[in-house]
Amino acid sequence: MESLTVRVLIESTPELVWELWTGPEHIIQWCRPSDTVSVTQIKNDLKPNGKFSYTMGTNEGITIIEHSGYYGELEAPTLMTYKLDDGRTVTITFISDGNLTRITEVFELRANESAESQRAGWQRILNNFKNYVEEYIKEKSFK
């Protein structure tokens, strides 16, 4: 199966990045491919073989995406793998680079959607996460 890679560099420690990536209260803040879509329901059993499920819907209440599967390897704060319910695999690394964390996601493509469309969607979600982390740090530094 063909895979694609998306990346982002964030001014933060891998430990904080991991916390914000995996905490359900944080996931609902950043996990969306556009401003008109948000996570409407989340389950996250963060352990090997633990089930996760993110239901995403439009601002009008229409469910459009069910992102669900089972975790594989979890090595906080550097590695996460999971298998989606449709059989595709995803590997995410969180690598410290000085005072930065480089997130790299490698995901297998869905057969019925263009590679570019999938890359764009995954990259938008990753960029939303970067923005969320930066805003979170700014907000916490003022308190």
Side-chain angles (χ1 to χ4, degrees):
M1 192 174 278
E2 185 180 357
S3 295
L4 284 177
T5 301
V6 292
R7 294 180 178 89
V8 71
L9 198 57
I10 301 174
E11 289 188 50
S12 181
T13 65
E15 291 79 11
L16 180 59
V17 167
W18 181 270
E19 177 186 335
L20 300 180
W21 186 270
T22 59
E25 69 278 17
H26 299 292
I27 294 168
I28 63 171
Q29 301 298 320
W30 61 263
C31 189
R32 63 186 176 283
S34 76
D35 290 338
T36 60
V37 174
S38 60
V39 173
T40 58
Q41 192 172 40
I42 185 168
K43 295 176 185 167
N44 194 32
D45 188 13
L46 188 64
K47 65 183 181 187
N49 297 314
K51 174 84 174 156
F52 66 88
S53 174
Y54 310 162
T55 302
M56 295 183 205
T58 66
N59 294 342
E60 293 79 34
I62 301 168
T63 297
I64 59 166
I65 299 170
E66 179 73 28
H67 188 75
S68 59
Y70 291 87
Y71 289 109
E73 293 179 72
L74 293 169
E75 297 175 16
T78 60
L79 175 69
M80 171 185 289
T81 66
Y82 59 87
K83 188 169 200 167
L84 294 166
D85 286 339
D86 66 10
R88 296 177 300 135
T89 60
V90 179
T91 300
I92 308 167
T93 56
F94 305 84
I95 305 300
S96 179
D97 185 3
N99 63 343
L100 304 171
T101 299
R102 180 179 311 280
I103 301 175
T104 302
E105 283 188 274
V106 180
F107 60 95
E108 292 181 335
L109 292 173
R110 253 190 315 269
N112 60 350
E113 188 179 341
S114 77
E116 191 48 44
S117 172
Q118 291 178 69
R119 179 194 313 270
W122 286 71
Q123 187 66 57
R124 278 192 302 271
I125 292 170
L126 200 52
N127 291 345
N128 286 341
F129 179 71
K130 173 184 170 71
N131 293 337
Y132 177 73
V133 172
E134 291 172 352
E135 287 301 314
Y136 182 88
I137 290 169
K138 281 182 195 173
E139 182 180 301
K140 294 299 178 188
S141 68
F142 289 117
K143 292 185 177 184

